[in-house]
Amino acid sequence: MDLRQLRYFLAVAERGGFGAAASALNVAQSALSRHIRVLEEELGGALLVRGTRGVSVTESGKVLLDRSRWLLGSLDDIKAEVQTENREPSGTVRLGAPSSLADIFYAPLARVFAARFPRVQFELSEGLTEEMTDRLLRGEIDVALVSAPRPNDHLDYETLVVEQVFVIGPPGDPLLRSGTITRKAFNALPAVVRPLSRNPFPLTTPSAFRVESMTPLKQMVMDGLGYGLLPFSGIHQEVTNGTLSAALVPWMRADRVLALPRGRPVSRATRETVTALKSICRSLIANRKILTTTRSGRV
């Protein structure tokens, strides 16, 4: 039994006769009849009942008819998927990330795709990790790049990098001069600018401001309104040009995670996006724009 025989049988059964099937398949009716007889002999019984008004399908023929439709349909799907993979990726990829990650990943990602995959379009959004994972679950974005997301049975996570975290202050700040802060000094900070989502500071630390975006947080710190916390990737430019001072917080880390919806089909363009994000991350580490640490917090 081969695929050609199944296609011939399907054509005869669906068109109700050898003549109509032969015409549709563009083969001789005698050749079509011969293939069906060979198939019946192999399977050990009649698949069709021949009559003066055409053919009807036997009980065993109905089983073969159902399985043939499923098998041939699956083969068509496989062919379409492989052909799609062999073509240049296209379509729209919707990517979401917090501002601290969007600032360092979005522009390099756009450059990569403009050069390699110009038919792919992007919708790049920013928001808190909780917002991005919620949007991913609702199907509003295709992939998210987030920080330490909460476990979810409907999302697949892959850790991209584990970053060092720094407490930041205005230029030349004496509390940060040593380059590393102790727990005692951290707990005694006079004022802080808290992130809007999660609070890594002691509850007793004074704070008049809570912000969602990294850019205003850094500006408030520069203006002396309080200390902040960010991974090095978010402050490398300011530390290099001297507009911020920073000290490592050895017991903290920032888990940067790729999130995809579990069980949802992933397009070729989205897979290429994930590959590009991993490559960009390796480049940022190599250029020391990201400083990594282990999960235990060791540098």
Side-chain angles (χ1 to χ4, degrees), residues 14-276:
E14 290 182 337
R15 287 168 174 78
F18 285 90
S23 178
L25 295 169
N26 197 28
V27 297
Q29 185 171 332
S30 58
L32 186 59
S33 298
R34 184 170 62 254
H35 279 287
I36 299 301
R37 283 197 303 271
V38 170
L39 184 60
E40 289 176 321
E41 290 172 3
E42 180 181 349
L43 296 178
L47 301 171
L48 301 169
V49 177
R50 284 87 168 163
T52 56
R53 295 186 177 182
V55 301
S56 59
V57 183
T58 65
E59 290 302 314
S60 59
K62 290 177 182 178
V63 173
L64 183 61
L65 181 61
D66 289 341
R67 297 300 181 90
S68 297
R69 284 171 173 160
W70 175 83
L71 177 60
L72 295 174
S74 297
L75 288 173
D76 290 339
D77 290 342
I78 292 171
K79 181 180 178 181
E81 289 178 14
V82 172
Q83 288 174 335
T84 298
E85 287 295 314
N86 287 331
R87 290 195 295 266
E88 180 183 326
S90 60
T92 300
V93 177
R94 302 165 299 173
L95 170 63
S99 62
S100 60
L101 292 169
D103 279 3
I104 59 172
F105 278 94
Y106 280 3
L109 181 67
R111 289 194 294 269
V112 168
F113 272 75
R116 294 185 55 197
F117 307 119
R119 295 177 61 196
V120 175
Q121 296 183 332
F122 275 99
E123 294 178 5
L124 303 174
S125 56
E126 296 183 25
L128 300 175
T129 287
E130 291 77 7
E131 178 189 350
M132 293 297 103
T133 53
D134 286 346
R135 292 186 63 195
L136 196 59
L137 289 168
R138 293 196 299 267
E140 295 176 1
I141 57 176
D142 304 303
V143 59
L145 182 56
V146 293
S147 292
R150 293 183 174 87
N152 191 296
D153 292 339
H154 303 289
L155 297 175
D156 286 323
Y157 296 138
E158 181 180 355
T159 299
L160 190 62
V161 65
V162 182
E163 287 196 70
Q164 297 178 24
V165 174
F166 290 77
V167 60
I168 57 174
D173 189 277
L175 292 180
L176 310 181
R177 190 171 294 147
S178 67
T180 302
I181 195 168
T182 64
R183 285 185 184 270
K184 182 179 179 180
F186 181 81
N187 292 337
L189 290 173
V192 296
V193 180
R194 300 181 190 274
L196 193 60
S197 55
R198 303 171 193 177
N199 178 28
F201 294 103
L203 294 177
T204 55
T205 304
S207 175
F209 307 101
R210 297 183 65 194
V211 298
E212 175 180 331
S213 177
M214 180 176 65
T215 300
L217 185 153
K218 290 190 289 187
Q219 188 59 58
M220 290 178 186
V221 171
M222 291 178 192
D223 292 342
L225 298 175
Y227 293 88
L229 278 174
L230 282 174
F232 189 74
S233 61
I235 57 172
H236 66 90
Q237 289 182 341
E238 291 81 3
V239 170
T240 300
N241 62 30
T243 56
L244 280 176
S245 56
L248 177 67
V249 185
W251 61 91
M252 290 188 183
R253 68 173 193 261
D255 293 60
R256 308 303 209 172
V257 176
L258 283 166
L260 288 163
R262 182 172 298 170
R264 192 186 305 167
V266 178
S267 69
R268 165 89 185 281
T270 300
R271 292 199 300 274
E272 293 289 355
T273 299
V274 170
T275 300

